[in-house]
Amino acid sequence: MEIPVMVGAGLVVIGVGLGIGRIGGSAMDAIARQPEAYGKIQTAMLIAAALIEGIGFAALFAV
């Protein structure tokens, strides 16, 4: 593997981790404000996290 490929893969992994972490934190804030909307918030959070992870996998294969 070449250095630019490794750096690109590392940046993809860092970006995905930050994105999913931000979604999780925002979801916890939203659940704390409106506990009755727990199911809807959790569903939206899981869908968004799955999409981010899928894009991350696609970016890793592209690198």
Side-chain angles (χ1 to χ4, degrees):
M1 285 183 105
E2 296 181 19
I3 299 293
V5 173
M6 289 186 269
V7 170
L11 289 174
V12 167
V13 171
I14 290 171
V16 168
L18 289 173
I20 292 176
R22 188 165 182 165
I23 288 173
S26 297
M28 293 300 110
D29 289 341
I31 291 170
R33 284 191 217 110
Q34 293 183 334
E36 67 276 0
Y38 172 76
K40 289 183 178 182
I41 295 169
Q42 183 181 20
T43 302
M45 176 190 69
L46 289 174
I47 290 170
L51 289 172
I52 288 175
E53 193 169 342
I55 291 171
F57 281 134
L60 281 176
F61 289 125
V63 173

